[in-house]
Amino acid sequence: MQRDAQSLLCSQLGKAGIMASDCEPALNQAESRNPTLERYLGALREAKNDSEQFAALLLVTKAVKAGDIDAKTRRRIFDAVGFTFPNRLLTTKEAPDGCPDHVLRALGVALLACFCSDPELAAHPQVLNKIPILSTFLTARGDPDDAARRSMIDDTYQCLTAVAGTPRGPRHLIAGGTVSALCQAYLGHGYGFDQALALLVGLLAAAETQCWKEAEPDLLAVLRGLSEDFQKAEDASKFELCQLLPIFLPPTTVPSECLRDLQAGLARILGSKLSSWQRNPALKLAARLAHACGSDWIPAGNSGSKFLALLVNLACVEVRLALEETGTEVKEDVVTACYALMELGIQECTRCEQSLLKEPQKVQLVSIMKEAIGAVIHYLLQVGPEKQKEPFVFASVRILGAWLAEETSSLRKEVCQLLPFLVRYAKTLYEEAEEANDLSQQVATLAISPTTPGPTWPGDALRLLLPGWCHLTVEDGPREILIKEGAPSLLCKYFLQQWELTSPGHDTSVLPDSVEIGLQTCCHIFLNLVVTAPGLIKRDACFTSLMNTLMTSLPALVQQQGRLLLAANVATLGLLMARLLSTSPGKPHGSSAETAILFLSQSHVARATPGSDQAVLALSPDYEGIWADLQELWFLGMQAFTGCVPLLPWLAPAALRSRWPQELLQLLGSVSPNSVKPEMVAAYQGVLVELARANRLCREAMRLQAGEETASHYRMAALEQCLSEP
């Protein structure tokens, strides 16, 4: 390079002003070409060495005033310069006398920024491979007042921002270490740190998971800084931070010190008299924390309970103001955030242990939430078919489902009035399952932030409504409405669809808990219908199909680790339905019956007690941990089995093949009668008596197992009499 050309470039660079700002297209620029510019571009194309390129480039910058380069001209400059020259400028380590070393790099970055204004060039491999070099410029040390250095930083941000705007740009930036560099640039609060924050926001919105995977420590450092600023802020910046902070909450655990600062800052904001533009971002931040952390971010004690009560109160007021007045424009993002806070309130009001709320607070909040739920019902009653696929309707059904899961006695008239809509709505989304999943994603985005950490929202409306419908099918009025609107048939189809996910062809080890919980809740609804509407079970063909599926699939289900509770639901429901449908044509389900017997027979074992010669009846290890949930199903299953024996001739031989009667009598004979509760004695006697009456071989097997003697010890008069007969 010739020293005079380089010195001239260095002295004129600031005057020439090749920067990203100079490369923005001029509005309404004429199409005609500038003859002088054409001549200089020709010289640039014909340059034989770096010195000639320097000189020609300088002439180009003098011929073009700042802001006068349109897209076509910019592309022609690139065609003349190419990438080779900027590449050498960015990597050169030798600068001429009197020219700071960063000036050459600044020119290289300025050229790249100019080219990156063209989206096609911004995605060029020669730009993408400069990302690691550009990222280092963000944290490089130097004179903060140096104009050339500041220009280089501005141009670096323009390059990176342009790359981020391309389809695969965020992925390349993350892989090139840009996220960490941006975090460090922001935390250093040097020149351009605000641009670093803006670019971070964009990258997190585009690829949150990848950002956190590549730069979690640095992003957490930014979150700590923002949280601390939020806690200390006394001016309007705290409201801006309310909008910014949700984006920086991690998809995993939020550091405890951040939660403390965020809660303290929100408490000060929401405890003050605010306008809606100040309050709404705070409510959305609180909703985001509730969605990600539940109530863990709220401190225990008096201050925490007051804060939670305030949150739920404000949320309910906002919901009522938005939904009760017809014709009012609803701020759907704010109301959906309030729904999340109401859901947190419902959870805390129904929590028996370690609740943040005191009993008087719970009573007060339930009353306030009842009024807000009334407003939600009022809104949903006005929803027409054209709005059913809107995310806000889905969010409104979700909060109503959360309420009905815990409370169905209040607002009963309004709920019954809404049930036909809910059935139609659930059916619509079930039949268009992909749109339902998309709605779930849109609700999370609408309610909280551009990202969706924390527990995923169920992707179908029916799953949201199952717990409430389970309660409502016990009551005559709501049950009749659900039956009239076709809910049982819809539930059968839904159950069979979800049941496929538990079949051997699927990887059940990764089955979401929500699927199993949904299946169990469906079973509970069907159990309610078996007991309260047996005629429906007999006349609706979908229940015959359901029973056949249950009994056929039960043997494979019990082989799956950790599925005992679901197997118990299926076994009990299958037995109860088999009793009702005993006259329906169909093949016997011998293996399934033996599996149901397995569930009933393995619940208890004999357990030795220290200092005693006689064992006691105790729960088996697999049942012990979940007996609170299993107990009712087990007794109901015993009752159903007892009722099935005289109706299904093949059931007693199946029991005999499994050796249940003999082993049951052996178990009772090996334990102290005082250790067997009366209700257990009654359940065991019911099964043994029906088996003995139904099958001669069963009677003989029981006699050989000292059945009469055991019956006498346990005062089972009916069994003793049955076994004494010829």
Side-chain angles (χ1 to χ4, degrees):
M1 296 182 182
Q2 295 181 3
R3 194 174 297 274
D4 56 347
Q6 292 174 329
S7 299
L8 177 62
L9 178 66
C10 291
S11 63
Q12 295 295 324
L13 184 60
K15 299 177 183 178
I18 287 191
M19 292 171 50
S21 60
D22 300 328
C23 299
E24 294 301 324
L27 297 175
N28 304 319
Q29 182 173 348
E31 291 288 335
S32 60
R33 294 184 178 182
N34 182 332
T36 303
L37 176 61
E38 291 300 313
R39 188 167 61 254
Y40 292 160
L41 285 173
L44 187 58
R45 284 191 296 269
E46 295 170 3
K48 297 181 177 60
N49 54 47
D50 287 346
S51 296
E52 292 181 8
Q53 279 192 307
F54 268 121
L57 187 58
L58 179 58
L59 292 172
V60 170
T61 64
K62 294 179 69 175
V64 182
K65 295 180 180 179
D68 284 349
I69 300 180
D70 63 7
K72 291 182 179 179
T73 303
R74 182 169 55 248
R75 188 58 185 246
R76 293 176 66 233
I77 293 175
F78 165 74
D79 291 338
V81 177
F83 279 115
T84 303
F85 185 48
N87 287 350
R88 287 207 298 272
L89 290 173
L90 289 173
T91 57
T92 184
K93 297 182 179 179
E94 297 181 3
D97 294 342
C99 183
D101 58 356
H102 66 269
V103 171
L104 299 181
R105 292 195 296 272
L107 178 58
V109 177
L111 286 169
L112 281 183
C114 182
F115 300 154
C116 284
S117 298
D118 183 331
E120 185 178 341
L121 293 178
H124 196 284
Q126 286 285 353
V127 172
L128 299 178
N129 66 23
K130 303 298 181 301
I131 290 174
I133 297 175
L134 293 172
S135 297
T136 63
F137 294 164
L138 300 179
T139 55
R141 296 181 180 180
D143 183 0
D145 298 323
D146 186 294
R149 185 177 294 278
R150 289 191 171 206
S151 297
M152 183 175 71
I153 292 174
D154 286 334
D155 289 341
T156 299
Y157 280 118
Q158 178 147 346
C159 288
L160 297 175
T161 302
V163 172
T166 63
R168 298 174 64 86
R171 180 183 302 178
H172 289 292
L173 291 174
I174 294 167
T178 303
V179 176
S180 291
L182 291 170
C183 291
Q184 293 167 26
Y186 173 75
L187 293 170
H189 276 66
Y191 179 76
F193 78 98
D194 53 336
Q195 298 181 70
L197 190 63
L199 188 49
L200 272 175
V201 169
L203 290 176
L204 283 168
E208 180 203 35
T209 302
Q210 293 87 342
C211 286
W212 280 100
K213 183 178 179 180
E214 291 294 328
E216 181 173 348
D218 295 299
L219 286 169
L220 286 177
V222 172
L223 175 61
R224 290 188 182 94
L226 292 173
S227 301
E228 188 175 348
D229 291 344
F230 179 63
Q231 194 270 337
K232 294 178 179 178
E234 298 291 346
D235 56 11
S237 65
K238 59 187 176 184
F239 303 115
E240 297 172 1
L241 286 168
C242 277
Q243 301 180 38
L244 191 62
L245 277 161
I247 301 169
F248 284 88
L249 293 179
T252 54
T253 305
V254 182
S256 57
E257 64 271 24
C258 295
L259 293 178
R260 285 195 301 269
D261 287 340
L262 294 174
Q263 189 275 330
L266 282 172
R268 281 208 307 275
I269 291 176
L270 295 174
S272 306
K273 188 175 182 180
L274 302 171
S275 60
S276 60
W277 73 268
Q278 295 170 322
R279 180 177 59 253
N280 292 346
L283 289 173
K284 291 170 73 174
L285 173 58
R288 178 70 158 75
L289 289 168
H291 182 58
C293 309
S295 60
D296 293 343
W297 61 287
I298 301 176
N302 192 48
S303 63
S305 64
K306 286 183 177 180
F307 174 71
L308 177 57
L310 174 65
L311 270 183
V312 179
N313 234 314
L314 289 173
C316 290
V317 170
E318 193 70 33
V319 168
R320 292 188 63 190
L321 288 174
L323 302 183
E324 284 183 346
E325 296 183 16
T326 305
T328 303
E329 183 180 355
V330 177
K331 295 180 180 178
E332 295 180 351
D333 57 339
V334 177
V335 176
T336 309
C338 291
Y339 286 165
L341 296 175
M342 287 176 58
E343 192 164 343
L344 177 63
I346 293 171
Q347 291 169 0
E348 286 299 316
C349 284
T350 55
R351 181 178 294 180
C352 298
E353 297 180 0
Q354 297 181 335
S355 174
L356 292 172
L357 298 169
K358 300 175 183 177
E359 202 58 37
Q361 290 174 314
K362 291 182 179 181
V363 173
Q364 183 184 23
L365 285 182
V366 167
S367 177
I368 294 169
M369 287 190 288
K370 174 184 173 182
E371 295 174 347
I373 292 296
V376 174
I377 295 175
H378 172 75
Y379 164 76
L380 289 174
L381 284 170
Q382 302 173 63
V383 172
E386 72 283 356
K387 287 189 174 183
Q388 286 194 8
K389 297 179 183 179
E390 293 184 1
F392 183 65
V393 176
F394 187 91
S396 301
V397 171
R398 174 187 168 87
I399 187 59
L400 178 61
W403 172 265
L404 292 177
E406 305 295 344
E407 174 58 62
T408 56
S409 59
S410 61
L411 299 172
R412 183 173 302 178
K413 179 180 177 182
E414 292 83 353
V415 169
C416 288
Q417 189 179 359
L418 186 64
L419 277 178
F421 165 81
L422 293 178
V423 176
R424 291 195 301 271
Y425 181 77
K427 183 178 181 180
T428 298
L429 293 195
Y430 167 75
E431 292 174 348
E432 301 174 13
E434 290 185 4
E435 291 192 26
N437 284 322
D438 183 58
L439 273 178
S440 178
Q441 176 71 17
Q442 291 180 52
V443 168
T445 302
L446 176 69
I448 299 161
S449 75
T451 53
T452 57
T456 54
W457 293 38
D460 59 84
L462 194 50
R463 189 179 301 164
L464 305 175
L465 296 168
L466 288 178
W469 287 7
C470 186
H471 298 316
L472 292 171
T473 48
V474 177
E475 304 175 26
D476 293 339
R479 182 177 62 252
E480 290 175 5
I481 296 173
L482 288 170
I483 293 174
K484 180 181 177 182
E485 295 297 329
S489 177
L490 174 62
L491 287 170
C492 283
K493 294 177 183 177
Y494 177 78
F495 182 92
L496 293 174
Q497 179 205 57
Q498 296 291 295
W499 185 259
E500 284 297 315
L501 300 176
T502 69
S503 64
H506 292 78
D507 185 2
T508 56
S509 63
V510 296
L511 188 69
D513 290 341
S514 57
V515 172
E516 181 167 346
I517 292 172
L519 288 170
Q520 291 179 22
T521 309
C522 280
C523 286
H524 295 165
I525 295 175
F526 295 141
L527 286 171
N528 290 341
L529 293 175
V530 166
V531 174
T532 61
L536 172 70
I537 306 298
K538 293 179 179 179
R539 68 174 180 266
D540 197 324
C542 71
F543 287 102
T544 301
S545 175
L546 175 64
M547 184 193 71
N548 289 333
T549 299
L550 293 176
M551 300 307 283
T552 302
S553 307
L554 184 58
L557 178 63
V558 296
Q559 302 299 323
Q560 298 178 19
Q561 189 69 25
R563 304 283 181 207
L564 179 58
L565 191 55
L566 180 58
N569 277 277
V570 170
T572 303
L573 177 61
L575 287 170
L576 284 170
M577 293 179 70
R579 184 176 65 180
L580 287 177
L581 301 173
S582 59
T583 58
S584 300
K587 61 181 180 180
H589 295 282
S591 61
S592 299
E594 291 172 4
T595 305
I597 290 169
L598 199 64
F599 158 65
L600 296 172
S601 65
Q602 293 188 346
S603 61
H604 290 78
V605 295
R607 182 174 299 168
T609 55
S612 175
D613 295 335
Q614 201 166 18
V616 297
L617 189 70
L619 288 168
S620 61
D622 289 342
Y623 290 65
E624 195 167 12
I626 56 174
W627 185 246
D629 297 316
L630 273 180
Q631 183 175 3
E632 186 176 354
L633 285 170
W634 186 86
F635 278 106
L636 194 57
M638 292 288 284
Q639 181 182 348
F641 186 90
T642 301
C644 284
V645 171
L647 300 174
L648 303 174
W650 49 268
L651 191 54
L656 189 61
R657 285 195 301 272
S658 71
R659 292 190 52 79
W660 187 23
Q662 303 96 307
E663 291 177 357
L664 177 52
L665 288 169
Q666 183 181 2
L667 174 65
L668 292 173
S670 65
V671 301
S672 168
N674 293 331
S675 68
V676 186
K677 296 179 179 179
E679 60 268 25
M680 295 290 297
V681 173
Y684 286 145
Q685 179 175 224
V687 168
L688 292 170
V689 166
E690 290 301 332
L691 288 174
R693 288 174 177 170
N695 188 277
R696 177 182 58 80
L697 294 178
C698 279
R699 287 196 302 276
E700 293 177 359
M702 291 182 200
R703 289 176 182 138
L704 292 174
Q705 196 61 50
E708 291 182 70
E709 182 181 350
T710 301
S712 176
H713 286 160
Y714 284 88
R715 298 180 180 178
M716 297 180 179
L719 178 60
E720 189 174 5
Q721 180 181 352
C722 183
L723 293 179
S724 65
E725 295 173 355

